[in-house]
Amino acid sequence: MKKFLKQNQLAYFFLFILLAAFVFLFMRAWPDKQMQRYIAIIFGTLYFIWGVITHLKSKKINSEIVFEYLSIAMLATLVIVLITL
Amino acid sequence: MAKKAKKSKKKANFLFRLNHLFKPQASNKYRSELLHPQALLVLSFILLAGFSFFNILRFFPSLTNKVLGFSSNINVDGLLVKTNEERAKANLTPLVMNEELNQAALAKAQDMLNDQYWAHVAPDGKQAWDFIKETEYVYKYAGENLARDFSNNEEVIKAWMASPTHRENILNQDFTQMGLAVVNGNLNGANTTLVVQMFAVPSAVTMKDNAGAEFHLPKAAEKTDQKNELVAGEKTTNREVVFSPLNLTRAFFLVVVLLIILTLLYDSLVASNRKYERLVGQNFAHIALLVTVAFLLVFFKGGVVLP
């Protein structure tokens, strides 16, 4: 994992920017829950895309990894969407 | 002896299942079973089931009244002070509480609870200004802000100020008087606190246009409902109750998210110690995402704004 982290420093920098933007926009959207749901869905999708692209670039990818990112992104989005309902 | 062997076998079986679920090993292709996409999908269904369960509780009023407590710390005086604080920041004159507007706000809140609706317009077509008119208050210009499920005055005002339409009402330089009602009740199965804030300028007061010039509405307009403008706005937020459906759902989600985070950490630790070469997703990235989700769950403030 450390090796992967070192090789993908830029990708992880981008991920942290993405997550910080997620928190900021989500908090800022309050009390508009509809907007909060849109933000969660957009960032969940972006996370999935980030995972696939990062693994594609390092050429360490298979269908299992794609489904893993998809399921983690879906679960995270689901939690946020449900709590805002 | 046979009984002891059976018990020991059961224990070994349980430990194997536990390891299979959390520890990367040959039986789970060197990846904790809980982190496989299929298991994550099952967890998503469990989340959905938990959410449904906690929300179904609200349809059992006797249970929600006994078990799911309800409290809020909202009061009329506090809201008046907070509203005028916001106006003072914008160099506007403070609003004065008017008893007739208070009665109109109370009537609107009670009407919403009686007819079980959450809107500017009642199901029977009754508008916000109809409640004002019933008190025989004569106004030129009126506005209404609605809130529900908040736990304190500060959150109500913060939420109103975060919404352009509600903010416009609070910072409207033409309004001079205000009425407030804070009513606890059960709306659509959920115990809540409704807040109705009504603003108005009485017909005897002159108004200013955008350029600051004074003007009066035509006499006919003062007598006609359609000519009286209603600046509308509504919103809701959460209540600070230990056992509310929102808090129960939040706690349940947090447990699930933390379980996945801990599994990811354990999976990384074991794989790193045993130097497994495997092709899996990045645990560190998953942990970062889920920690973000946990953070949002902890600091989540409920609330809905109706357009």
Side-chain angles (χ1 to χ4, degrees):
Chain A
M1 190 168 89
K2 276 181 192 167
K3 198 177 160 191
F4 190 92
L5 277 174
K6 257 191 172 175
Q7 285 169 348
N8 294 281
Q9 274 179 349
L10 192 68
Y12 272 93
F13 175 73
F14 185 70
L15 177 67
F16 284 117
I17 297 281
L18 200 77
L19 294 176
F22 178 32
V23 171
F24 175 76
L25 291 174
F26 186 85
M27 292 294 204
R28 203 190 151 106
W30 180 82
D32 188 346
K33 285 185 169 181
Q34 187 66 36
M35 182 56 74
Q36 288 184 318
R37 283 193 281 274
Y38 288 141
I39 290 168
I41 292 167
I42 289 168
F43 278 88
T45 310
L46 286 176
Y47 178 75
F48 169 66
I49 294 169
W50 175 90
V52 172
I53 290 176
T54 308
H55 279 265
L56 268 177
K57 283 181 91 175
S58 61
K59 292 175 183 164
K60 286 178 178 174
I61 192 163
N62 58 20
S63 60
E64 187 84 355
I65 288 178
V66 174
F67 283 121
E68 186 181 313
Y69 276 95
L70 185 65
S71 49
I72 284 275
M74 267 176 57
L75 191 133
T77 307
L78 185 72
V79 166
I80 299 295
V81 168
L82 288 181
I83 203 76
T84 55
L85 285 177
Chain B
M1 190 79 172
K3 206 176 174 184
K4 210 174 179 183
K6 203 177 171 185
K7 204 175 174 185
S8 169
K9 197 179 171 187
K10 257 189 177 177
K11 195 179 171 186
N13 202 14
F14 174 75
L15 281 175
F16 172 78
R17 281 188 185 175
L18 210 61
N19 278 334
H20 179 73
L21 201 58
F22 296 106
K23 190 176 174 184
Q25 56 189 24
S27 70
N28 52 29
K29 296 182 189 168
Y30 300 98
R31 176 69 153 167
S32 306
E33 185 63 25
L34 198 72
L35 304 176
H36 285 238
Q38 298 89 331
L40 291 168
L41 201 65
V42 171
L43 274 180
S44 298
F45 281 112
I46 291 173
L47 285 173
L48 266 173
F51 175 79
S52 307
F53 175 74
F54 293 128
N55 280 278
I56 280 171
L57 285 179
R58 67 170 57 179
F59 295 105
F60 297 91
S62 57
L63 186 69
T64 52
N65 287 335
K66 282 178 192 167
V67 182
L68 304 177
F70 165 75
S71 70
S72 78
N73 192 22
I74 304 173
N75 55 68
V76 168
D77 293 338
L79 286 172
L80 176 69
V81 169
K82 294 272 174 201
T83 302
N84 282 332
E85 276 176 11
E86 293 299 333
R87 286 179 67 88
K89 284 179 201 168
N91 292 322
L92 294 171
T93 53
L95 296 172
V96 177
M97 195 74 98
N98 177 278
E99 191 47 42
E100 286 165 326
L101 287 176
N102 278 345
Q103 284 172 18
L106 186 63
K108 171 68 190 267
Q110 282 174 339
D111 195 62
M112 284 195 290
L113 289 174
N114 291 341
D115 291 352
Q116 293 292 292
Y117 68 93
W118 173 246
H120 293 296
V121 185
D124 59 7
K126 203 170 178 181
Q127 307 267 7
W129 53 81
D130 291 328
F131 293 98
I132 301 178
K133 280 184 73 183
E134 279 172 7
T135 65
E136 296 182 355
Y137 180 96
V138 186
Y139 66 93
K140 283 182 177 175
Y141 190 66
E144 179 192 58
N145 278 352
L146 299 179
R148 79 176 219 212
D149 299 341
F150 283 86
S151 57
N152 57 56
N153 300 322
E154 201 172 12
E155 276 196 359
V156 176
I157 299 297
K158 259 189 185 175
W160 277 337
M161 292 302 288
S163 160
T165 52
H166 305 88
R167 183 188 165 89
E168 201 180 308
N169 274 349
I170 290 173
L171 300 183
N172 190 317
Q173 62 174 354
D174 293 326
F175 290 140
T176 54
Q177 298 183 341
M178 178 174 66
L180 275 163
V182 179
V183 179
N184 292 334
N186 190 291
L187 186 70
N188 299 323
N191 287 330
T192 187
T193 298
L194 295 182
V195 182
V196 180
Q197 186 178 37
M198 286 188 172
F199 305 90
V201 54
S203 63
V205 178
T206 53
M207 293 165 64
K208 289 180 181 174
D209 61 18
N210 289 339
E214 287 185 355
F215 71 96
H216 294 269
L217 288 176
K219 280 281 173 196
E222 288 179 37
K223 291 174 186 167
T224 315
D225 289 347
Q226 288 80 356
K227 295 282 181 177
N228 289 326
E229 187 178 350
L230 179 82
V231 182
E234 305 183 27
K235 68 188 58 185
T236 65
T237 37
N238 72 323
R239 63 194 117 115
E240 205 171 66
V241 183
V242 177
F243 295 115
S244 70
L246 175 70
N247 285 346
L248 285 173
T249 308
R250 190 206 313 250
F252 176 64
F253 284 2
L254 261 175
V255 168
V256 173
V257 169
L258 289 176
L259 178 75
I260 303 172
I261 291 174
L262 290 174
T263 309
L264 282 162
L265 283 169
Y266 186 58
D267 179 87
S268 293
L269 198 73
V270 174
S272 167
N273 280 346
R274 301 194 176 180
K275 303 196 187 318
Y276 290 149
E277 276 298 325
R278 52 188 193 162
L279 201 57
V280 293
Q282 275 304 297
N283 283 5
F284 188 65
H286 295 336
I287 290 169
L289 175 72
L290 293 174
V291 166
T292 306
V293 170
F295 176 85
L296 291 178
L297 277 176
V298 170
F299 293 100
F300 177 75
K301 289 191 279 186
V304 183
V305 177
L306 297 177

